[in-house]
Amino acid sequence: MTTTTYTSSVSSSKRMPDAFIILFFVVVFAAVLTHLVPAGKFSLSAATPTQEATLIADSFTLNDTSQGVPLFAEQGGVGFFNFAFEGMVSGSKWGSAIGVMMFILITGGAFGVVMKTGAINNGILALIYRVKKAETLFIPILFILFSLAGAVFGMGEEAIAFCIVLLPLMRALGYDNITTVMVTYVATQIGFATSWMNPFSVAIAQGIADVPLLSGAEFRMVCWLVFTVFGTVFTMRYAHSIKAEKQQSGELGQSTMPSFQLIDGVVLLAFLATIIWVIWGVTARGYYIPELASQFFTMACVIGVISVIGKRLDIHQVSDAFQQGAKDLLPAALIVGMAKGIVILLGGDNPAEFSVLNTILYGASEAIGDLPKQLSALCMLLFQSVFNFFIASGSGQAALTMPLMAPLSDLIGISRQVAVLAFQLGDGLTNIIIPTSASLIGCLGVAKIDWLVWAKFVYKFLLALILLSATTMVVAVSIQFS
């Protein structure tokens, strides 16, 4: 392997369309579809005290007299130009869309406060400093830490800041720019894709799919370990080859000990206590979206008080941090509402009511229903991976695809937990290459790596991850993961 200097800037001569533009054209397509595809519905099995009502696969019927949606509807009706508002006010505090939207905003604000204190940044940098001389442990510790950050609280955009901080240190240690992106952003996306508790992906997808929140954690923890170890080994081999071939430039400097103070430790303890509280609440008390949002808001208040008392932030900075954190996730929240509007435009996601979505669902089930279960699961994974190019937001993609994938899994005889797993792996892993990912483009811009150069480097690694994902899906179906 030869050393390459990556200094080209990211080309921005043609801006990629963002998720809202793509979503709008999906809405146009959906509206046209209502005029071309008749609505249909299913019958449901009788609910029991231990089992909810499920679709009866052979009960599908069409409504041949159904008409397409109008451009504009009055009296609270659903039309093309009503879709955004109708989607955003649909549902309840227990789920999509309004509940999930508010959950995203409050949680984003809470983590905005945590990140503003700088405690996580200082803690990681202090750990880096202490293990810097143990070079054999440096790369794996970094990769595992960032993978954990992606798994626990969905770190993504924050990786851009860490790329800025770590790039000079990594180069001083003899590594290159690509190594920096691998141990920061790529590690977070592996953690994101295999998370057992990420509130921005798995929790939302499970909520939409009516799967118990944070269930299946044991299997996902094993997945996280396998994928993280694979990513760590790949990155170590690449980094060590770069270091072995790179000539000493004489510019290597000595890093100074970062300032890790008592208040940083207190903030991190409060953060850890919140994570434990969340796990206990979900497993022992059955907490759901309203309680989880309140728990994270409590964390923001407690850490805000700690930072004010410790003179790390003033009360206005705490407020600004919360608002900025919420603003950062506002696009994701809007996408959730607008995506729900598409479902409403198609007639809703109630299988017992006439809907174009039900007709599409039936057609999809007919197309893959006779395939082996493992192959059906792989088709779900492929669909989620391709669709992520257009909607890179995890929460937005969950809101758009899970209403289809969850009942589809019922029809083809695999668990909804497997459908959620297909969403996770398909959504998270392709983020390391798609140019529509703002976080990836930001990290590449900081590291001065052209996207085409990055794609040429990372595509083999991504193919290996996809193969590993396919194997994971086959295993999940085989052990009846639920």
Side-chain angles (χ1 to χ4, degrees):
M1 184 179 294
T2 59
T3 304
T4 305
T5 302
Y6 301 96
T7 58
S8 58
S9 301
V10 178
S11 175
S12 58
S13 58
K14 292 185 178 180
R15 180 182 175 185
M16 295 293 293
D18 64 25
F20 287 96
I21 297 174
I22 295 170
L23 196 62
F24 180 80
F25 284 105
V26 173
V27 174
V28 173
F29 175 75
V32 172
L33 208 60
T34 64
H35 293 271
L36 302 177
V37 179
K41 69 176 182 179
F42 296 90
S43 297
L44 300 179
S45 63
T48 67
T50 58
Q51 186 177 8
E52 295 184 358
T54 57
L55 291 175
I56 300 176
D58 58 355
S59 66
F60 180 77
T61 57
L62 281 174
N63 179 10
D64 295 328
T65 62
S66 60
Q67 298 179 345
V69 297
L71 283 177
F72 185 86
E74 299 177 344
Q75 306 301 318
V78 177
F80 175 77
F81 290 110
N82 304 94
F83 88 94
F85 178 81
E86 293 296 329
M88 292 177 192
V89 299
S90 65
S92 69
K93 67 179 181 179
W94 301 101
S96 64
I98 189 65
V100 174
M101 290 174 64
M102 295 305 103
F103 171 77
I104 290 173
L105 293 179
I106 291 176
T107 305
F111 280 107
V113 174
V114 175
M115 299 305 296
K116 183 67 174 180
T117 65
I120 291 180
N121 179 75
N122 293 340
I124 291 179
L125 290 180
L127 182 59
I128 290 173
Y129 179 84
R130 294 185 183 279
V131 302
K132 181 172 69 69
K133 295 181 180 179
E135 294 186 4
T136 56
L137 297 177
F138 183 68
I139 295 294
I141 287 178
L142 270 181
F143 202 99
I144 291 170
L145 282 174
F146 280 99
S147 182
L148 273 175
V152 172
F153 59 91
M155 177 182 283
E157 291 80 2
E158 297 87 351
I160 298 173
F162 285 107
C163 279
I164 296 173
V165 173
L166 292 179
L167 185 60
L169 179 59
M170 297 292 284
R171 293 182 65 86
L173 291 172
Y175 304 119
D176 65 350
N177 302 20
I178 275 186
T179 308
T180 306
V181 178
M182 286 294 298
V183 299
T184 52
Y185 179 73
V186 171
T188 65
Q189 295 312 294
I190 287 179
F192 193 98
T194 56
S195 172
W196 59 94
M197 64 170 295
N198 182 354
F200 304 119
S201 63
V202 62
I204 292 175
Q206 287 180 326
I208 295 173
D210 290 327
V211 174
L213 209 60
L214 305 190
S215 58
E218 296 82 1
F219 183 81
R220 287 186 171 85
M221 286 179 181
V222 173
C223 292
W224 173 82
L225 181 62
V226 171
F227 279 76
T228 300
V229 168
F230 177 79
T232 302
V233 172
F234 178 90
T235 304
M236 288 177 65
R237 292 184 61 184
Y238 172 77
H240 289 166
S241 67
I242 290 295
K243 189 178 181 69
E245 297 176 7
K246 194 173 184 181
Q247 297 180 349
Q248 295 296 330
S249 63
E251 299 178 359
L252 300 181
Q254 297 295 323
S255 58
T256 58
M257 174 64 183
S259 176
F260 185 82
Q261 302 173 0
L262 176 62
I263 186 175
D264 294 311
V266 176
V267 168
L268 291 178
L269 285 175
F271 176 75
L272 178 61
T274 302
I275 299 303
I276 295 173
W277 184 28
V278 167
I279 295 173
W280 172 83
V282 170
T283 57
R285 303 290 295 176
Y287 286 180
Y288 197 51
I289 289 176
E291 292 88 356
L292 282 175
S294 301
Q295 285 178 304
F296 286 124
F297 182 74
T298 303
M299 175 190 70
C301 293
V302 171
I303 291 180
V305 170
I306 292 172
S307 63
V308 171
I309 294 176
K311 296 183 179 181
R312 175 60 57 85
L313 304 173
D314 61 39
I315 193 170
H316 300 291
Q317 289 175 316
V318 172
S319 176
D320 291 342
F322 185 88
Q323 294 177 56
Q324 186 60 49
K327 288 178 184 177
D328 291 340
L329 288 180
L330 179 59
L334 291 176
I335 287 175
V336 168
M338 296 176 73
K340 183 64 174 181
I342 295 175
V343 176
I344 294 175
L345 205 67
L346 291 172
D349 55 4
N350 187 339
E353 296 181 359
F354 284 111
S355 168
V356 173
L357 187 63
N358 289 332
T359 305
I360 296 173
L361 177 62
Y362 179 73
S365 66
E366 287 290 291
I368 67 175
D370 294 331
L371 297 175
K373 294 180 180 179
Q374 286 85 353
L375 184 56
S376 298
L378 292 178
C379 289
M380 284 187 172
L381 174 64
L382 177 62
F383 169 78
Q384 296 285 9
S385 299
V386 173
F387 193 79
N388 191 48
F389 178 89
F390 303 100
I391 305 294
S393 165
S395 53
Q397 186 174 341
L400 191 59
T401 62
M402 290 313 298
L404 177 65
M405 292 295 104
L408 179 59
S409 67
D410 295 338
L411 291 177
I412 62 181
I414 63 178
S415 72
R416 292 190 171 199
Q417 197 75 265
V418 173
V420 173
L421 185 64
F423 154 73
Q424 284 184 261
L425 295 174
D427 165 63
L429 296 178
T430 48
N431 282 331
I432 69 176
I433 197 170
I434 57 172
T436 49
S437 170
S439 302
L440 171 63
I441 296 303
C443 287
L444 294 181
V446 166
K448 297 181 180 178
I449 304 172
D450 187 85
W451 180 82
L452 291 176
V453 174
W454 170 255
K456 183 178 180 180
F457 163 78
V458 84
Y459 84 93
K460 291 183 180 179
F461 176 64
L462 178 60
L463 290 177
L465 288 178
I466 291 174
L467 180 60
L468 193 56
S469 299
T471 304
T472 302
M473 294 299 297
V474 172
V475 171
V477 174
S478 300
I479 66 173
Q480 298 181 343
F481 177 47
S482 61

